[in-house]
Amino acid sequence: MPNILKNNAILSKRLQGDNTITSNTWNGLDYISLSKKDENYIWKSSYRRFISPSYAFIFKEIETIETEYVEDDYEYYRHISNLSSNKRYSIYEDEYQIKNKIGLDKVIGIKIPDTDINHYPREFHDRKACAIDEFLKIIDGKIQVPFIDIDKKDIKKYLLER
């Protein structure tokens, strides 16, 4: 998060100075993975796997590249996806990608995890309310967008009581 705020953007690995491709990298050095919540995607959903239990930026008006879902030949398609090509592949049905960077001017909100989080031990506490306080400390007024929760009354109540 501090680097995102410093750069005023989410950057691809290459723009961050990281040229490492690992055995589970599908978006290569030049692409950023995104998800769109869609109730039709249940089993092979990047939203459910990564976004639902996490904090996430909510964007508006960005042009994405829709990935092509692959069910087999994973190594082949993963290798192709790591090349600098506009044809993108994914093991998730709801993944999109964007090349190079996403400016924070496209952020309209910060999504709250659907459940209490416990996989950010160094950054956040294990309860949503505590994590929001930590998140607010990190962003320190550098970005002015609302927190958005599935159950809006809970987050509204929390923010009013802060």
Side-chain angles (χ1 to χ4, degrees):
M1 181 56 67
N3 284 335
I4 291 171
L5 295 171
K6 183 179 100 183
N7 295 316
N8 202 32
I10 298 172
L11 303 176
S12 66
K13 287 179 83 168
R14 186 183 314 272
L15 292 179
Q16 293 177 50
D18 182 355
N19 293 314
T20 307
I21 298 283
T22 64
S23 62
N24 56 356
T25 301
W26 278 75
N27 53 345
L29 298 175
D30 300 308
Y31 292 86
I32 301 162
S33 292
L34 301 167
S35 259
K36 184 188 226 180
K37 184 176 182 180
D38 187 331
E39 297 298 327
N40 295 319
Y41 298 123
I42 296 172
W43 302 111
K44 295 173 180 105
S45 168
S46 60
Y47 181 88
R48 286 185 183 264
R49 170 76 171 89
F50 300 106
I51 307 302
S52 180
S54 302
Y55 282 85
F57 287 119
I58 301 169
F59 300 104
K60 68 171 181 171
E61 299 172 3
I62 57 173
E63 290 189 37
T64 61
I65 301 166
E66 190 169 353
T67 61
E68 184 178 317
Y69 171 68
V70 295
E71 291 189 75
D72 51 23
D73 291 329
Y74 298 124
E75 275 305 304
Y76 171 76
Y77 286 107
R78 187 187 65 77
H79 178 70
I80 296 298
S81 283
N82 285 319
L83 300 174
S84 192
S85 161
N86 281 339
K87 185 71 173 163
R88 311 305 303 152
Y89 299 95
S90 177
I91 58 174
Y92 299 105
E93 295 175 310
D94 59 350
E95 182 176 351
Y96 298 82
Q97 294 184 1
I98 191 166
K99 192 165 185 177
N100 293 325
K101 76 179 198 175
I102 308 169
L104 292 185
D105 61 325
K106 299 294 185 183
V107 175
I108 60 170
I110 298 170
K111 184 207 149 300
I112 302 294
D114 296 349
T115 59
D116 286 346
I117 60 173
N118 57 18
H119 58 279
Y120 292 119
R122 292 192 174 135
E123 295 180 42
F124 300 117
H125 298 285
D126 62 350
R127 291 185 14 246
K128 282 199 258 186
C130 294
I132 293 168
D133 282 335
E134 293 299 313
F135 202 91
L136 288 169
K137 284 181 199 171
I138 292 168
I139 62 176
D140 191 30
K142 294 178 180 87
I143 183 170
Q144 299 292 323
V145 295
F147 285 91
I148 300 170
D149 198 2
I150 299 299
D151 191 349
K152 290 183 175 77
K153 69 178 177 9
D154 288 343
I155 193 64
K156 186 175 182 179
K157 179 182 170 199
Y158 169 76
L159 290 173
L160 288 172
E161 291 173 355
R162 285 191 76 250

